Amino acid sequence: MDKPEAEPEADASAASPAPYRLDDQVGHLLRRANQRHLAIYGRAIQELTPMQFATLAKLHEAGALSQNALGRLTAMDAATIKGVVDRLRKSGQVQTENDKTDRRRTIVSLTPEGRALVESLFARAHDVSRETLSPLDATEQAMFLHLLRKMI
Amino acid sequence: MDKPEAEPEADASAASPAPYRLDDQVGHLLRRANQRHLAIYGRAIQELTPMQFATLAKLHEAGALSQNALGRLTAMDAATIKGVVDRLRKSGQVQTENDKTDRRRTIVSLTPEGRALVESLFARAHDVSRETLSPLDATEQAMFLHLLRKMI
DNA sequence: CCCTTTTTGTTGGCATGCAAACGGATTTTG
DNA sequence: CAAAATCCGTTTGCATGCCAACAAAAAGGG
């Protein structure tokens, strides 16, 4: 080697294969953004966990659903949605019944208490979304949401 | 508008408080984007979990660190980084020692195996970041990363 | 109609992720 | 310097989150 490391940083375009910096990786930034959002949620809403709220909100939006369908619409796999539904049922926010036509299915629906609770939280939930996006101005927020959707 | 709530549903711009649709919430989109990224990671790298890789990458980047400092730099709380370090130590990727000047601290550092492993994964890790951003064109990627940072 | 495939839900196992409560060490402050 | 405030690391407890393996039921195909 005549001069493998004569100018370690001189020519960034050829020699060094771009150092791996954690803080530059999309995955790390996405994780931190999500972390921040969960912290904002936690400060605003203590009645339900984020996923429990998402579950009730989706049931409120779409009506009764099979457990697996509910999982798909909330982006939780079958094993995860099961735990969430179990806990919501235990706390009386949802109820389950057997599907008459498909004996594999368990239909999940809101109880009156669950409906009342989720409706009482919508305003604060909107605030959470607003606060999460607050570092960006209106134009940036629209752009960010657009890019986020495009990436999914 | 002179009559804010005269017609509850008639005028969408005034009356209805904007329905809460899960798929429109930043938090949900961030979670799904992160989920997608983790799936891409999982397909590309099986040797280490995402957080184990992040931990080794940060140690590679910053050198030996106290356990808590390592947690801060990787955005994991004290309880979480402990588990990650424990598992990495068990698998021989990192080692720990007592800090001579501060008896509270545990210094975490890469073992030769850990260093070799993480270095062998950098290329694939870069691919993961690239693939995660691939739905966006170059301009959009830059914009997205910019907005993501601004939001954190 | 039978066989194969798919779908639904469950379970076990492992890895985050965070709050709260602690004990011990160090730093800050009055 | 001594008390108070912090910081370090640990433990417990609970809630995701996902994989792999299963059993039962339904759907599809030949």
Side-chain angles (χ1 to χ4, degrees), chain A residues 7-147:
Chain A
E7 281 95 25
E9 313 301 349
D11 186 0
S13 70
S16 57
Y20 188 91
R21 258 173 297 144
L22 187 59
D23 292 356
D24 288 347
Q25 309 307 313
V26 218
H28 184 65
L29 296 174
L30 281 173
R31 177 169 165 277
R32 284 176 54 197
N34 199 42
Q35 229 170 20
R36 172 170 167 276
H37 171 260
L38 292 175
I40 292 172
Y41 175 95
R43 258 174 262 130
I45 299 178
Q46 289 85 46
E47 290 89 334
L48 293 169
T49 65
M51 295 321 290
Q52 287 172 359
F53 175 75
T55 300
L56 296 192
K58 183 51 80 176
L59 283 175
H60 188 275
E61 181 185 333
L65 292 165
S66 75
Q67 187 172 289
N68 272 17
L70 182 55
R72 280 190 296 274
L73 293 177
T74 49
M76 285 184 262
D77 82 355
T80 303
I81 189 64
K82 185 198 187 310
V84 175
V85 167
D86 283 350
R87 286 183 286 276
L88 284 173
R89 191 176 38 202
K90 192 172 306 181
S91 67
Q93 314 302 328
V94 305
Q95 56 195 1
T96 58
E97 54 177 316
N98 296 321
D99 187 319
K100 306 304 179 186
T101 62
D102 189 335
R103 283 186 306 187
R104 294 171 304 178
R105 286 203 174 98
T106 301
I107 305 299
V108 185
S109 57
L110 287 175
T111 60
E113 301 78 47
R115 172 175 299 274
L117 176 56
V118 72
E119 286 177 353
S120 76
L121 295 176
F122 280 150
R124 272 187 278 161
H126 266 125
D127 290 342
V128 169
S129 292
R130 214 176 350 262
E131 186 178 345
T132 298
L133 286 169
S134 64
L136 310 181
D137 64 37
T139 305
E140 292 173 328
Q141 293 186 11
M143 176 64 73
F144 183 68
L145 292 176
H146 169 69
L147 296 176

Side-chain angles (χ1 to χ4, degrees), chain B residues 109-124:
Chain B
S109 58
L110 287 175
T111 60
E113 301 78 46
R115 172 174 299 274
L117 176 55
V118 71
E119 287 177 351
S120 75
L121 295 176
F122 281 150
R124 271 186 280 163

Side-chain angles (χ1 to χ4, degrees), chain B residues 31 35 66-68 72 78-79 82 104-106:
Chain B
R31 177 169 165 278
Q35 228 171 20
S66 75
Q67 188 172 289
N68 274 14
R72 280 190 296 274
K82 186 198 187 306
R104 295 170 303 177
R105 289 202 173 96
T106 301

